[in-house]
Amino acid sequence: EDQVTQSPEALRLQEGESSSLNCSYTVSGLRGLFWYRQDPGKGPEFLFTLHSAGEEKEKERLKATLTKKESFLHITAPKPEDSATYLCAVQPNYGGSQGNLIFGKGTKLSVKP
Amino acid sequence: ETGVTQTPRHLVMGMTNKKSLKCEQHLGHNAMYWYKQSAKKPLELMFVYSLEERVENNSVPSRFSPECPNSSHLFLHLHTLQPEDSALYLCASSQGGAATDTQYFGPGTRLTVL
């Protein structure tokens, strides 16, 4: 069964304290892995797409990496405005699965000044 | 307007009411989606439309009825809902047909069923 597990469920950091969020997945074939950021009461905001093991992408203080079994979202020197829930999703690579994103439950990040 | 918009942003309805959620995308995309987001649960895909044809329906109860009149608009018609249907309903759109198809989300409609 295709599955996405994110850890930890919640993470509290001090401003400037770097850390990583984990997304483990099991899928019969991976078309793509997505990271989204979601603020309270809002829809998810797209951050990154990763396609193959070894791929990395960066945006400001965020860096996403991908292996065959998991992805990490590294946050370097976070600021309070980075506080949000970070969602991971995979898109399986089988026929008829257009749009079939499988989401994890998310990691709620709080960054204190 | 830019991106994906949803109206209303908040909706309170009784179990016997009929209401509709509206989604509009301004991105020129060909695929649109409805998701349900409940507390402590992952986003659940409800319906997928590609070029105005429904391509996926993930065993959603018939009290939810989608409509896609054109590639820019998507509706979710609601009737005789249950309190457990209270959730954030998210609309998304994507280009469609690509090897990897990024979905862009609207702000959601917070639905409360009394």
Side-chain angles (χ1 to χ4, degrees), chain A residues 27 29-34 49-52 90-99, chain B residues 97-101:
Chain A
V27 65
L30 182 69
R31 185 180 295 185
L33 184 141
F34 300 81
T49 306
L50 302 168
H51 301 91
S52 56
V90 297
Q91 189 171 41
N93 188 23
Y94 45 80
S97 68
Q98 177 180 329
Chain B
T100 309
D101 198 25

Side-chain angles (χ1 to χ4, degrees), chain B residues 5-21:
Chain B
T5 58
Q6 292 185 241
T7 54
R9 294 295 312 276
H10 301 272
L11 178 62
V12 179
M13 58 187 291
M15 293 170 60
T16 58
N17 292 157
K18 289 185 179 181
K19 296 286 184 183
S20 296
L21 310 184

Side-chain angles (χ1 to χ4, degrees), chain B residues 77-92:
Chain B
H77 304 298
L78 316 171
H79 64 97
T80 59
L81 294 190
Q82 304 298 311
E84 59 264 30
D85 297 321
S86 298
L88 182 67
Y89 288 84
L90 292 161
C91 173

Side-chain angles (χ1 to χ4, degrees), chain A residues 93-110:
Chain A
N93 188 23
Y94 45 80
S97 68
Q98 177 180 329
N100 192 15
L101 287 182
I102 301 168
F103 279 85
K105 293 182 179 181
T107 293
K108 184 176 182 179
L109 174 66
S110 299

Side-chain angles (χ1 to χ4, degrees), chain A residues 4-113:
Chain A
V4 176
T5 303
Q6 291 188 246
S7 61
E9 287 187 18
L11 180 62
R12 291 187 175 185
L13 299 174
Q14 288 297 126
E15 184 172 2
E17 180 187 1
S18 300
S19 188
S20 297
L21 313 182
N22 177 263
C23 172
S24 298
Y25 63 91
T26 55
V27 65
S28 52
L30 182 69
R31 185 180 295 185
L33 184 141
F34 300 81
W35 283 99
Y36 288 86
R37 168 192 170 129
Q38 186 174 23
D39 293 298
K42 296 188 176 181
E45 174 190 348
F46 171 69
L47 294 174
F48 304 109
T49 306
L50 302 168
H51 301 91
S52 56
E55 188 175 359
E56 299 182 352
K57 288 193 177 174
E58 289 188 65
K59 179 181 179 180
E60 296 180 354
R61 296 176 293 282
L62 300 177
K63 179 180 177 179
T65 62
L66 181 65
T67 72
K68 288 187 177 180
K69 293 184 178 181
E70 58 190 351
S71 176
F72 291 94
L73 185 65
H74 307 277
I75 303 177
T76 302
K79 298 181 177 182
E81 53 262 42
D82 294 322
S83 298
T85 296
Y86 290 85
L87 302 175
C88 173
V90 297
Q91 189 171 41
N93 188 23
Y94 45 80
S97 68
Q98 177 180 329
N100 192 15
L101 287 182
I102 301 168
F103 279 85
K105 293 182 179 181
T107 293
K108 184 176 182 179
L109 174 66
S110 299
V111 182
K112 301 299 181 184

